[in-house]
Amino acid sequence: MKKAVILMGGLGTRLRPFTIHTPKPLLPVLNVPFFAYQLDLLKRFGIHDIVLALGYRSAHFKRMIGNGRKWGVRFRYSLEKTPLGTGGAIRKALPFLNGPTVVLNGDVLSDMHLSDMFHLHSGKNAEATLALFPVKDPSAFGLIETDSEGRILRFTEKPSPDEITVNTINAGAYLLELSFIRSIPPDKNVSIERDVFPVALKDGRALYGFVHRGLWTDIGTLKSYWQVHKDLLHKISNFPIITAKQIRRGLWAGKKTVIHPDAKIDGTVLLGEGCHVGRAVLKGAVCIGNGSQIKDGAQITDSLILDRTTVHSSCRLDHCLIGNHCHIQESSILGPGDVVADRSTVGPFAQRFSYEDDAT
Ligand code: GTP
C-alpha cells in the first residue's frame, strides 16, 4: 500500500456557485485547501506517491499544487479529456500503479485507519475493500451490507423503508488490487459505485467492507460544506495543517491579522491571514478567509466568508455563505441560506423584504 489515487475530476455541481471558479478539492475548509486534509491522512500512513485523477479544470490544479514537493509528496497527473466517471478514472490511472492502491473520493474528509483497512484487505485476500461508515439516517444513501467476516453481501441503492437492514454506507475510500483495477473497462465512462462494484459482486469476486467509526464527512453540497466548517471549528487543534494561532478561547487568527480591541467576538471564530476586523460583532461559528475585511458596525453570525471579501460597515450577515472577492456593501442584510458567488457585489442597503410586514 504505497500509492494512492485521488478522484478529483468531478464538476462539483451541487457545490455551485463556489465550484464555478474553484474545483471542489481546492476549496478551502477552515482556510486550508480541502485536498490538503487528504494528503495529511495519506502521509500519516506513509503514502507519498499520489496520482491525481483529473479532468475538469486540470490546469487550475497543476498551477495551484504543482508536483507535490511543497506538500511533501509526489503527484502524478492522470488526465481525462472527457470525464470517465469514478470507475473509468481509476482505470485510466493504472499505468501509474504497481500494487494494492488506496483510492479516495476527492470530497471526503476522514481520519480513517488505512493500515487497519489494509490488514483486513490482505488478511481476507480481498480484491477490493470498501470503507463503510455507519450513519444515523441511512434512508438517503446507498447501503452496503456485509456478513460477520466483512464480506460484502449486498448493495442497496435508495433503499425503501423495509430494505433498511443496515446503516453502513460507502465512505468513498477503497483499497483495490491491480487485478481489480485492470478488470474495469478502459476508456469508458463507468461509475465504480454503481457499475463496477455491483457487477463484481455478482461475479462472485472477493469484496470486503471495512467499517470506519471515526471522523467522516464530505463536502459534496453547500449544506455539507458549511456543516464541515461548523464541526471542525471545534476541533481546530486536532489539525496541525491549520496554521492559525489561538488568540484566546474560541478565537484563532492567521498571520498579520488585525482585530480592533473593541470588536466583540463571542463563539468559535477562525480568521485567516491578513484579515482586518474593525469594531464588529462576530457570533457563533464564523470562519473568515485570508485577506478579508470586516468593517465597523458589521455583525456576522454563524457564517462562512471566503478570501479577500469585504463586509462593509453596518452589514448584518446571519447564516450565510459568501464567496471570494465579494463586496457586501454598507448596511446590507443577508439572512439564513443566502449564498453569494465569488466576485459579487451586494448592496448597499440590500435586504429581503417580507410580505408579512405589509399585512397591516
Ligand atoms: P456533483 O456534480 O455535485 O455530483 O459532484 P462531483 O462531480 O464531484 O461528483 P461526485 O460527488 O459523485 O464525485 C465523487 C468524487 O469523484 C469527487 O471527488 C469527484 O471529483 C470525483 N469524480 C466524479 N466524476 C469523476 C470523473 O469523471 N473523473 C474523475 N477523475 N473524478 C471524478
Side-chain angles (χ1 to χ4, degrees), residues 48-60:
H48 293 87
D49 250 319
I50 299 167
V51 182
L52 306 181
L54 296 174
Y56 177 61
R57 288 192 162 266
S58 55
H60 195 134

PDB file of all heavy atoms in Angstrom, residues 48-60:
ATOM      1  N   HIS A  48       3.208   8.523  -0.097  1.00  0.00           N
ATOM      2  CA  HIS A  48       3.686   9.810  -0.631  1.00  0.00           C
ATOM      3  C   HIS A  48       3.569   9.891  -2.143  1.00  0.00           C
ATOM      4  O   HIS A  48       3.834  10.928  -2.730  1.00  0.00           O
ATOM      5  CB  HIS A  48       5.161  10.031  -0.225  1.00  0.00           C
ATOM      6  CG  HIS A  48       5.318  10.214   1.249  1.00  0.00           C
ATOM      7  ND1 HIS A  48       5.482   9.160   2.117  1.00  0.00           N
ATOM      8  CD2 HIS A  48       5.291  11.323   2.020  1.00  0.00           C
ATOM      9  CE1 HIS A  48       5.561   9.611   3.347  1.00  0.00           C
ATOM     10  NE2 HIS A  48       5.443  10.930   3.326  1.00  0.00           N
ATOM     11  N   ASP A  49       3.236   8.775  -2.772  1.00  0.00           N
ATOM     12  CA  ASP A  49       3.113   8.737  -4.237  1.00  0.00           C
ATOM     13  C   ASP A  49       1.645   8.794  -4.597  1.00  0.00           C
ATOM     14  O   ASP A  49       0.909   7.817  -4.373  1.00  0.00           O
ATOM     15  CB  ASP A  49       3.671   7.399  -4.739  1.00  0.00           C
ATOM     16  CG  ASP A  49       4.956   7.620  -5.471  1.00  0.00           C
ATOM     17  OD1 ASP A  49       5.022   8.602  -6.236  1.00  0.00           O
ATOM     18  OD2 ASP A  49       5.876   6.812  -5.260  1.00  0.00           O
ATOM     19  N   ILE A  50       1.221   9.918  -5.138  1.00  0.00           N
ATOM     20  CA  ILE A  50      -0.222  10.122  -5.269  1.00  0.00           C
ATOM     21  C   ILE A  50      -0.591  10.493  -6.707  1.00  0.00           C
ATOM     22  O   ILE A  50      -0.008  11.429  -7.283  1.00  0.00           O
ATOM     23  CB  ILE A  50      -0.673  11.227  -4.278  1.00  0.00           C
ATOM     24  CG1 ILE A  50      -0.346  10.742  -2.850  1.00  0.00           C
ATOM     25  CG2 ILE A  50      -2.162  11.532  -4.427  1.00  0.00           C
ATOM     26  CD1 ILE A  50      -0.421  11.801  -1.802  1.00  0.00           C
ATOM     27  N   VAL A  51      -1.524   9.731  -7.251  1.00  0.00           N
ATOM     28  CA  VAL A  51      -1.989  10.022  -8.608  1.00  0.00           C
ATOM     29  C   VAL A  51      -3.261  10.852  -8.493  1.00  0.00           C
ATOM     30  O   VAL A  51      -4.203  10.464  -7.792  1.00  0.00           O
ATOM     31  CB  VAL A  51      -2.310   8.704  -9.373  1.00  0.00           C
ATOM     32  CG1 VAL A  51      -2.748   9.014 -10.796  1.00  0.00           C
ATOM     33  CG2 VAL A  51      -1.106   7.770  -9.351  1.00  0.00           C
ATOM     34  N   LEU A  52      -3.275  11.985  -9.154  1.00  0.00           N
ATOM     35  CA  LEU A  52      -4.466  12.827  -9.141  1.00  0.00           C
ATOM     36  C   LEU A  52      -5.227  12.583 -10.442  1.00  0.00           C
ATOM     37  O   LEU A  52      -4.694  12.819 -11.532  1.00  0.00           O
ATOM     38  CB  LEU A  52      -4.080  14.307  -9.016  1.00  0.00           C
ATOM     39  CG  LEU A  52      -3.172  14.647  -7.819  1.00  0.00           C
ATOM     40  CD1 LEU A  52      -2.875  16.140  -7.778  1.00  0.00           C
ATOM     41  CD2 LEU A  52      -3.815  14.220  -6.506  1.00  0.00           C
ATOM     42  N   ALA A  53      -6.428  12.058 -10.313  1.00  0.00           N
ATOM     43  CA  ALA A  53      -7.248  11.760 -11.492  1.00  0.00           C
ATOM     44  C   ALA A  53      -8.100  12.988 -11.778  1.00  0.00           C
ATOM     45  O   ALA A  53      -9.013  13.312 -11.020  1.00  0.00           O
ATOM     46  CB  ALA A  53      -8.121  10.539 -11.225  1.00  0.00           C
ATOM     47  N   LEU A  54      -7.753  13.662 -12.878  1.00  0.00           N
ATOM     48  CA  LEU A  54      -8.317  14.991 -13.130  1.00  0.00           C
ATOM     49  C   LEU A  54      -8.970  15.110 -14.490  1.00  0.00           C
ATOM     50  O   LEU A  54      -8.593  14.415 -15.422  1.00  0.00           O
ATOM     51  CB  LEU A  54      -7.194  16.034 -13.107  1.00  0.00           C
ATOM     52  CG  LEU A  54      -6.433  16.249 -11.810  1.00  0.00           C
ATOM     53  CD1 LEU A  54      -5.288  17.208 -12.070  1.00  0.00           C
ATOM     54  CD2 LEU A  54      -7.351  16.816 -10.756  1.00  0.00           C
ATOM     55  N   GLY A  55      -9.880  16.016 -14.591  1.00  0.00           N
ATOM     56  CA  GLY A  55     -10.471  16.367 -15.871  1.00  0.00           C
ATOM     57  C   GLY A  55     -10.808  17.848 -15.793  1.00  0.00           C
ATOM     58  O   GLY A  55     -10.039  18.705 -16.209  1.00  0.00           O
ATOM     59  N   TYR A  56     -11.955  18.102 -15.164  1.00  0.00           N
ATOM     60  CA  TYR A  56     -12.463  19.470 -15.025  1.00  0.00           C
ATOM     61  C   TYR A  56     -11.410  20.382 -14.384  1.00  0.00           C
ATOM     62  O   TYR A  56     -10.889  20.093 -13.310  1.00  0.00           O
ATOM     63  CB  TYR A  56     -13.715  19.405 -14.149  1.00  0.00           C
ATOM     64  CG  TYR A  56     -14.365  20.730 -13.820  1.00  0.00           C
ATOM     65  CD1 TYR A  56     -14.862  21.543 -14.828  1.00  0.00           C
ATOM     66  CD2 TYR A  56     -14.483  21.151 -12.495  1.00  0.00           C
ATOM     67  CE1 TYR A  56     -15.477  22.745 -14.529  1.00  0.00           C
ATOM     68  CE2 TYR A  56     -15.092  22.350 -12.176  1.00  0.00           C
ATOM     69  CZ  TYR A  56     -15.589  23.143 -13.203  1.00  0.00           C
ATOM     70  OH  TYR A  56     -16.196  24.337 -12.895  1.00  0.00           O
ATOM     71  N   ARG A  57     -11.052  21.448 -15.096  1.00  0.00           N
ATOM     72  CA  ARG A  57     -10.134  22.464 -14.588  1.00  0.00           C
ATOM     73  C   ARG A  57      -8.775  21.897 -14.158  1.00  0.00           C
ATOM     74  O   ARG A  57      -8.207  22.309 -13.142  1.00  0.00           O
ATOM     75  CB  ARG A  57     -10.779  23.214 -13.419  1.00  0.00           C
ATOM     76  CG  ARG A  57     -11.890  24.143 -13.874  1.00  0.00           C
ATOM     77  CD  ARG A  57     -12.326  25.070 -12.790  1.00  0.00           C
ATOM     78  NE  ARG A  57     -13.061  26.181 -13.371  1.00  0.00           N
ATOM     79  CZ  ARG A  57     -12.524  27.330 -13.702  1.00  0.00           C
ATOM     80  NH1 ARG A  57     -11.249  27.539 -13.504  1.00  0.00           N
ATOM     81  NH2 ARG A  57     -13.270  28.277 -14.231  1.00  0.00           N
ATOM     82  N   SER A  58      -8.239  20.986 -14.950  1.00  0.00           N
ATOM     83  CA  SER A  58      -6.967  20.369 -14.540  1.00  0.00           C
ATOM     84  C   SER A  58      -5.838  21.403 -14.511  1.00  0.00           C
ATOM     85  O   SER A  58      -4.925  21.300 -13.681  1.00  0.00           O
ATOM     86  CB  SER A  58      -6.628  19.197 -15.443  1.00  0.00           C
ATOM     87  OG  SER A  58      -6.621  19.622 -16.778  1.00  0.00           O
ATOM     88  N   ALA A  59      -5.901  22.405 -15.386  1.00  0.00           N
ATOM     89  CA  ALA A  59      -4.836  23.413 -15.396  1.00  0.00           C
ATOM     90  C   ALA A  59      -4.807  24.157 -14.058  1.00  0.00           C
ATOM     91  O   ALA A  59      -3.739  24.489 -13.531  1.00  0.00           O
ATOM     92  CB  ALA A  59      -5.074  24.397 -16.541  1.00  0.00           C
ATOM     93  N   HIS A  60      -5.986  24.388 -13.513  1.00  0.00           N
ATOM     94  CA  HIS A  60      -6.090  25.071 -12.226  1.00  0.00           C
ATOM     95  C   HIS A  60      -5.352  24.261 -11.145  1.00  0.00           C
ATOM     96  O   HIS A  60      -4.617  24.809 -10.326  1.00  0.00           O
ATOM     97  CB  HIS A  60      -7.579  25.179 -11.884  1.00  0.00           C
ATOM     98  CG  HIS A  60      -7.898  26.139 -10.789  1.00  0.00           C
ATOM     99  ND1 HIS A  60      -8.912  27.045 -10.898  1.00  0.00           N
ATOM    100  CD2 HIS A  60      -7.372  26.329  -9.561  1.00  0.00           C
ATOM    101  CE1 HIS A  60      -8.983  27.745  -9.784  1.00  0.00           C
ATOM    102  NE2 HIS A  60      -8.056  27.321  -8.957  1.00  0.00           N
TER     103      HIS A  60
END
